[in-house]
Amino acid sequence: MLNIVLFGPPGAGKGTQSERLIQKYGLTHLSTGDIFRANIKGETDLGVLAKSFMDQGSLVPDDVTINMLKNEVLKQENPKGFIFDGFPRTNAQAKALDEFLETQNTTIALMLALDVEENELKERLLKRAEFSGRPDDANPKIIQHRINVYLKETMPVKSYYENQNKFISINGLGSVDDISEKLFEALDNIK
Ligand code: B4P
């Protein structure tokens, strides 16, 4: 199985590049943001809880997110591997993911991090707000809060994978195609 973590700040291109990676490698895409948004749309209890955090640009609590992620992994029959998109976002999530994958006799092969500077992130998210209908994209103050949360709570996850020699940073500026090529190259090198 090939399991990778696609990492980066809000608006870095994780969702966009995940689509390319699924097509090329036939992996199962698990985006915690997408799963939460589906629950919000379906008005489930999980959705109601997640919405109160997401609309403010804060992280959904670890225990809720970790349990949801584990259930999603266990739902898949004979997966070739997973792209974890937007997960793990805290060191506690990273540790829980390692422990859980060990029980499934598998592991994370690589974290691919998309590196994009702050002003570009803000521009991309505000542009997406024009059609996404996402409250967390529409308000510059909430975008700033998301970036601050990323810097404080999520950035340390880089070191978690660096310490395991599983970290590669990719420049996330440029055309979507060029960035995909760089991701493919990094992945092909470890296969
Ligand atoms: P996510 O859904 O993960 O939201 P995101 O970070 O905004 O998505 P992404 O980074 O994938 O956006 P993309 O670049 O594709 O999370 C939303 C919220 O859910 C979080 O704030 C949190 O509340 C909650 N949550 C999710 N996971 C959690 C977890 N593990 N723990 C706790 N809480 C969690 O797209 C951005 C825009 O840029 C798009 O419009 C795209 O078209 C554009 N773009 C992409 N590539 C481009 C390029 N190369 N050039 C120009 N534009 C580009």
Side-chain angles (χ1 to χ4, degrees):
M1 252 167 82
L2 175 68
N3 302 310
I4 60 171
V5 172
L6 197 54
F7 187 79
K14 300 183 293 284
T16 308
Q17 293 299 335
S18 287
E19 286 175 24
R20 306 296 185 95
L21 292 165
I22 312 161
Q23 271 177 15
K24 184 162 162 85
Y25 298 98
L27 302 172
T28 301
H29 180 211
L30 288 185
S31 156
T32 38
D34 286 352
I35 301 166
F36 285 135
R37 280 185 289 277
N39 276 277
I40 292 172
K41 207 169 164 204
E43 298 178 348
T44 67
D45 289 346
L46 174 62
V48 172
L49 177 79
K51 187 170 165 48
S52 63
F53 293 95
M54 289 171 77
D55 283 358
Q56 302 307 315
S58 299
L59 295 181
V60 179
D62 279 341
D63 54 343
V64 176
T65 307
I66 291 164
N67 280 330
M68 178 190 80
L69 194 277
K70 285 182 187 172
N71 286 333
E72 291 294 326
V73 169
L74 293 173
K75 270 188 206 168
Q76 310 299 323
E77 280 179 29
N78 302 319
K80 280 176 73 179
F82 291 94
I83 298 180
F84 296 104
D85 164 2
F87 183 94
R89 260 176 156 98
T90 63
N91 271 341
Q93 292 181 12
K95 195 162 175 284
L97 180 62
D98 267 358
E99 286 168 5
F100 172 63
L101 290 180
E102 203 178 326
T103 66
Q104 306 301 304
N105 298 317
T106 185
T107 186
I108 293 293
L110 194 64
M111 168 183 269
L112 291 165
L114 294 167
D115 189 20
V116 178
E117 49 104 12
E118 203 169 307
N119 283 337
E120 169 78 11
L121 297 174
K122 291 175 185 164
E123 271 180 36
R124 286 185 189 180
L125 294 175
L126 285 170
K127 200 166 157 208
R128 181 168 68 184
E130 291 167 17
F131 58 88
S132 71
R134 282 176 55 173
D136 58 341
D137 283 349
N139 179 333
K141 277 195 184 142
I142 291 177
I143 292 178
Q144 187 63 55
H145 179 61
R146 289 165 68 190
I147 292 173
N148 294 346
V149 167
Y150 169 79
L151 294 173
K152 187 162 171 257
E153 299 183 46
T154 305
M155 273 275 270
V157 180
K158 273 187 185 186
S159 313
Y160 183 91
Y161 289 94
E162 266 172 340
N163 290 339
Q164 297 184 19
N165 285 322
K166 290 179 176 175
F167 177 82
I168 293 184
S169 178
I170 302 279
N171 183 356
L173 284 177
S175 77
V176 171
D177 284 348
D178 286 349
I179 298 163
S180 302
E181 282 306 319
K182 285 188 253 174
L183 291 170
F184 296 162
E185 203 182 311
L187 264 182
D188 290 340
N189 275 337
I190 60 142
K191 281 180 83 196

